[in-house]
């Protein structure tokens, strides 16, 4: 039997999961679980590049694990784990940092954005973060890395680092491909259609754990456009708010933009916005309810992360040993 291809991705538990994380990443993972050998993790090591409250970080890491399972990532079929429980991530990160150039890291958009936002804490971790992400990926030799569009640059840097390393030492790493969804790759804030949806603007951010009434309210208040045309038409340049709502609707219903335009022909935003809200509520409600149920089952979650860390370490260690040998460290 042909071996399954490998998929790997992670999310930082630095905030509660939102619709952008779901449509840009998790939904895309869950849709492909049967086709691939999958590794999904909570990128907790990454979160401390920005100060975290320790109790909140622990709570969100567990909630994220519960949400992964609730979104359809069955722990029997996927390896689910917490990054900090697999020491090889930090170990490989050090090695790779010696094969990454200062100039490359200086060009990373996320570094520029975050260092502008947190001027009082531009720490070395924030700068070298993409190297840790490269280690996260390369340890598992994945074929694909399913992420939203904002992470594409980091996956491209990962490819560059891997190619550089391979060109010196031979074929150590598989060169991974970013795997970006057609609809949902970049979800914008409902109140700020120029900025990506993120927890930092909570009014325009729909969280996976928001109740139905909150989701409905956020969609009713969504910004549409200023041309007063009141017509549902896909035109991201002139109608970014409407285009964003259309891509959310397309992503949760599977409909095309043409089908959506037809469905709402002759009806204004007053009908369209609540309809998108309802579709999102129908998608998120079962996930929220299942997440709430799983969070209470601490013993089960503990079993999942213990087994996940064991499986992940086993695979990660194989790659790390190879790397250590290649660079010339004495083997035990
Ligand atoms: P993070 O935690 O910021 O986001 C997790 C995933 O959600 C996607 N995403 C979005 N997609 C569409 N629209 C949005 N508004 C939106 N906001 C977030 C992101 O693209 C991402 O796929 N560095 C990564 C985490 C990470 C990682 C990895 C990912 C660490 N190591 C290894 C893949 C492989 C990050 O900060 O994503």
């Amino acid at each position: 039997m042909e071996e399954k291809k490998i998929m790997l991705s992670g999310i930082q538990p630095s905030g509660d999961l939102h619709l952008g994380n779901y449509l840009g990443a998790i939904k895309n993972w869950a849709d492909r679980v049967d086709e691939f050998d999958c590794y999904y993790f909570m990128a907790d090591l990454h979160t401390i590049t920005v100060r975290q409250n320790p109790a909140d970080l622990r709570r969100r890491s567990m909630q994220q694990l519960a949400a992964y399972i609730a979104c359809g990532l069955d722990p029997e079929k996927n390896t689910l784990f917490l990054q900090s429980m697999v020491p090889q991530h930090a170990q490989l990160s050090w090695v790779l940092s010696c094969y990454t150039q200062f100039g490359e890291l200086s060009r990373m958009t996320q570094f520029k954005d975050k260092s502008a936002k947190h001027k009082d804490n531009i720490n070395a971790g924030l700068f070298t973060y993409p190297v840790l992400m490269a280690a996260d990926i390369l340890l598992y030799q994945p074929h694909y890395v399913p992420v939203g569009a904002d992470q594409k640059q980091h996956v491209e840097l990962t490819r560059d680092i891997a190619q550089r390393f391979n060109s010196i030492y031979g074929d150590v790493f598989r060169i991974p491909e970013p795997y970006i969804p057609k609809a949902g790759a970049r979800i914008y804030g409902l109140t700020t259609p120029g900025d990506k949806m993120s927890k930092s603007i909570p009014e325009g951010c729909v969280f996976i754990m928001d109740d139905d009434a909150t989701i409905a309210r956020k969609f009713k208040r969504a910004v549409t456009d200023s041309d007063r045309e009141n017509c549902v038409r896909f035109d991201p340049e002139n109608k970014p708010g409407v285009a964003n709502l259309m891509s959310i609707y397309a992503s949760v219903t599977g409909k095309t933009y043409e089908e959506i335009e037809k469905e709402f022909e002759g009806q204004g935003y007053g009908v369209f916005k609540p309809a998108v809200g309802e579709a999102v509520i129908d998608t998120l409600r079962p996930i929220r309810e299942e997440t709430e149920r799983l969070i209470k089952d601490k013993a089960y979650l503990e079993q999942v992360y213990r087994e996940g860390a064991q499986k992940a370490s086993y695979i990660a260690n194989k790659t790390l040993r190879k790397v250590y040998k290649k660079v010339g460290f004495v083997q035990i």
Side-chain angles (χ1 to χ4, degrees):
M1 201 177 74
E2 209 183 305
E3 273 196 24
K4 283 185 178 175
K5 289 197 169 162
I6 301 167
M7 232 181 201
L8 165 134
S9 198
I11 297 182
Q12 297 195 50
S14 52
D16 292 326
L17 287 175
H18 57 71
L19 192 62
N21 300 135
Y22 178 68
L23 298 180
I26 311 178
K27 181 173 182 295
N28 210 13
W29 310 349
D31 287 348
R32 319 300 301 263
V33 283
D34 292 322
E35 271 168 80
F36 293 93
D37 183 10
C38 300
Y39 296 83
Y40 295 120
F41 63 98
M42 326 305 132
D44 53 356
L45 293 177
H46 284 268
T47 66
I48 61 166
T49 53
V50 173
R51 291 277 174 273
Q52 300 292 326
N53 171 311
D56 284 346
L57 178 58
R58 260 188 293 276
R59 176 188 63 76
R60 284 195 303 257
S61 299
M62 294 313 293
Q63 182 166 310
Q64 192 171 308
L65 174 61
Y68 278 9
I69 302 168
C71 287
L73 303 177
D74 178 352
E76 300 285 326
K77 293 188 190 157
N78 302 270
T79 305
L80 307 181
F81 64 97
L82 283 115
Q83 184 191 25
S84 61
M85 291 182 186
V86 182
Q88 290 84 359
H89 290 242
Q91 291 172 297
L92 182 62
S93 176
W94 169 252
V95 176
L96 296 182
S97 70
C98 301
Y99 296 81
T100 309
Q101 299 303 305
F102 181 87
E104 289 178 304
L105 294 176
S106 313
R107 286 194 287 278
M108 294 294 112
T109 324
Q110 197 171 43
F111 170 70
K112 290 189 213 161
D113 289 351
K114 284 204 176 168
S115 51
K117 241 186 236 159
H118 303 276
K119 283 206 168 60
D120 53 339
N121 185 22
I122 306 178
N123 59 71
L126 195 63
F127 187 65
T128 58
Y129 158 115
V131 183
L132 178 58
M133 179 157 162
D136 298 338
I137 296 172
L138 298 175
L139 278 173
Y140 300 90
Q141 310 280 0
H143 297 76
Y144 299 107
V145 182
V147 285
D150 63 326
Q151 293 299 319
K152 191 166 173 239
Q153 194 185 32
H154 290 158
V155 181
E156 279 162 2
L157 176 67
T158 301
R159 289 167 59 87
D160 292 344
I161 299 172
Q163 267 153 356
R164 184 171 305 143
F165 196 91
N166 284 356
S167 72
I168 306 172
Y169 301 105
D171 275 347
V172 178
F173 298 121
R174 176 173 287 129
I175 310 298
E177 299 274 347
Y179 181 83
I180 295 172
K182 284 201 183 73
R186 204 185 283 276
I187 301 294
Y188 295 93
L190 299 186
T191 50
T192 50
D195 299 315
K196 72 170 188 176
M197 180 177 283
S198 92
K199 59 175 189 305
S200 52
I201 310 173
E203 323 81 75
C205 182
V206 175
F207 294 98
I208 285 190
M209 299 307 279
D210 277 346
D211 59 34
D212 294 358
T214 306
I215 300 176
R217 181 168 45 76
K218 286 180 178 171
F219 276 97
K220 276 201 188 113
R221 290 190 189 157
V223 169
T224 43
D225 57 24
S226 48
D227 65 6
R228 294 172 195 275
E229 194 189 26
N230 204 13
C231 158
V232 178
R233 189 162 53 76
F234 192 72
D235 180 356
E237 209 165 297
N238 299 307
K239 295 152 84 77
V242 176
N244 186 40
L245 291 170
M246 287 180 78
S247 69
I248 293 173
Y249 195 64
S251 183
V252 295
T253 60
K255 292 179 185 168
T256 64
Y257 294 135
E258 295 77 63
E259 285 169 340
I260 298 169
E261 284 172 359
K262 228 179 233 142
E263 183 177 346
F264 294 97
E265 209 174 314
Q267 306 184 60
Y269 305 143
V271 175
F272 178 55
K273 289 201 287 183
V276 182
E278 274 310 308
V280 170
I281 289 170
D282 288 345
T283 304
L284 293 186
R285 189 189 297 122
I287 295 175
R288 182 182 71 229
E289 288 173 356
E290 182 62 0
T291 305
E292 278 164 355
R293 187 186 73 75
L294 286 166
I295 287 171
K296 293 189 198 120
D297 196 346
K298 290 206 171 60
Y300 172 66
L301 292 180
E302 187 178 330
Q303 182 203 331
V304 170
Y305 69 64
R306 269 180 194 281
E307 285 176 8
Q310 252 176 22
K311 277 200 262 175
S313 292
Y314 176 76
I315 302 292
N317 210 37
K318 281 201 207 172
T319 304
L320 187 72
R321 290 290 127 217
K322 228 191 215 175
V323 168
Y324 273 16
K325 194 170 171 194
K326 291 282 185 187
V327 298
F329 298 156
V330 175
Q331 306 284 295
I332 294 178

